[in-house]
Amino acid sequence: LKSVDLPESPWKIPSGAMSDATSYQNKTGIMLLNSGVKASVGLAVSVVPCIVLLRGRGMRLFSMGIGAGFGAGYGIHQADAHLRYPSQFPLPETAEQHLEQWRDCVMSRIPKM
């Protein structure tokens, strides 16, 4: 068999975006968690308007799917932005930090009594 030289791939991660493969593997779990959380929030936000405004079961499910899709899309966009510009778009390091960020965000919006 004859060996063939393949051309260089045009799909390159910018230099400095990822230092090595292990850092990429460690961040993959956080990115998937972030996308899952955003999809869950999109689904939860779309449930109440769907139940109140729509009568048919099919339209309710379709609209809730759209809400989850928007949330997942936002999470994927955030992960992509982090891969391209890690200094400008940091991700939480662990799941606990991610949950603490959500808790702080919710608690800051609740009026104190």
Side-chain angles (χ1 to χ4, degrees), residues 22-36:
T22 57
S23 110
Y24 180 75
Q25 290 171 350
N26 292 338
K27 291 183 181 183
T28 302
I30 297 298
M31 289 183 224
L32 288 174
L33 172 71
N34 188 29
S35 296

Side-chain angles (χ1 to χ4, degrees), residues 79-92:
D80 182 55
H82 174 72
L83 287 175
R84 292 173 190 254
Y85 311 104
S87 62
Q88 295 173 350
F89 297 97
L91 288 179

Side-chain angles (χ1 to χ4, degrees), residues 78-105:
Q78 190 176 17
D80 182 55
H82 174 72
L83 287 175
R84 292 173 190 254
Y85 311 104
S87 62
Q88 295 173 350
F89 297 97
L91 288 179
E93 293 298 322
T94 63
E96 289 82 16
Q97 289 178 351
H98 193 77
L99 292 174
E100 286 175 8
Q101 285 179 354
W102 275 94
R103 184 195 66 209
D104 294 341
C105 178

Side-chain angles (χ1 to χ4, degrees), residues 34-47 64 67-72 74 98 102 106:
N34 188 29
S35 296
V37 167
K38 299 278 193 304
S40 301
V41 169
L43 177 67
V45 167
S46 67
V47 166
M64 286 188 271
F70 273 115
Y74 181 72
H98 193 77
W102 275 94
V106 169

